[in-house]
Amino acid sequence: QVHLAESGGGSVQAGGSLTLSCVFSGLNFANYCLAWFRQTPGNEREAVATISRVGGVPVYSDSVKGRFTISRNNAANTLYLQMNTLKPEDTALYYCAADDTFAVCVEAFARDPAYWGPGTQVTVSS
């Protein structure tokens, strides 16, 4: 059974940093495209970063480019999102996600991955 579990969310002041982690189980981690999404009440879920299976090549949304860093540790079945220079508009519920059917991992910006964690809340105060 596939299981994803995020951690590392919390409250921080603008300009601060947080690192999110997501531990995966029940799947062959190295074969999966991985991604981080976020959602605020009343808005659609937004992909913020993806990372490829091989080589860990990242792609970011314009809203986080230059501030967030996605990475993966295939030996530890763990996905990370380092978030720096946080802004109040980064406040959201953050989700990790995975899919092994994408031809290229940037497909996560166009359609929902198959597997999701329950989410972790990030709150940035001004």
Side-chain angles (χ1 to χ4, degrees), residues 60-69 84-85:
Y60 301 96
S61 67
D62 288 344
S63 60
V64 307
K65 196 176 299 180
R67 301 186 297 120
F68 289 13
T69 302
N84 297 327
T85 320

Side-chain angles (χ1 to χ4, degrees), residues 2 4 21 24 30 43 46 52 54 74 80 86 89 92 101 103 106 113-114:
V2 177
L4 286 65
S21 301
F24 293 70
N43 293 308
E46 169 195 19
S52 65
V54 179
N74 287 348
Y80 303 96
L86 282 161
E89 52 263 43
T101 68
V106 293

Side-chain angles (χ1 to χ4, degrees), residues 27-108:
L27 50 73
N28 191 340
F29 185 78
N31 289 347
Y32 280 71
C33 292
L34 307 177
W36 286 99
F37 287 73
R38 67 186 182 187
Q39 188 171 25
T40 54
N43 293 308
E44 291 190 359
R45 199 160 42 194
E46 169 195 19
V48 297
T50 69
I51 189 165
S52 65
R53 300 173 181 91
V54 179
V57 177
V59 178
Y60 301 96
S61 67
D62 288 344
S63 60
V64 307
K65 196 176 299 180
R67 301 186 297 120
F68 289 13
T69 302
I70 187 172
S71 61
R72 64 191 293 166
N73 182 334
N74 287 348
N77 285 8
T78 304
L79 174 70
Y80 303 96
L81 186 68
Q82 172 69 43
M83 306 184 293
N84 297 327
T85 320
L86 282 161
K87 304 175 181 180
E89 52 263 43
D90 294 318
T91 295
L93 189 61
Y94 283 73
Y95 300 90
C96 56
D99 199 295
D100 66 344
T101 68
F102 293 159
V104 289
C105 292
V106 293
E107 285 188 45

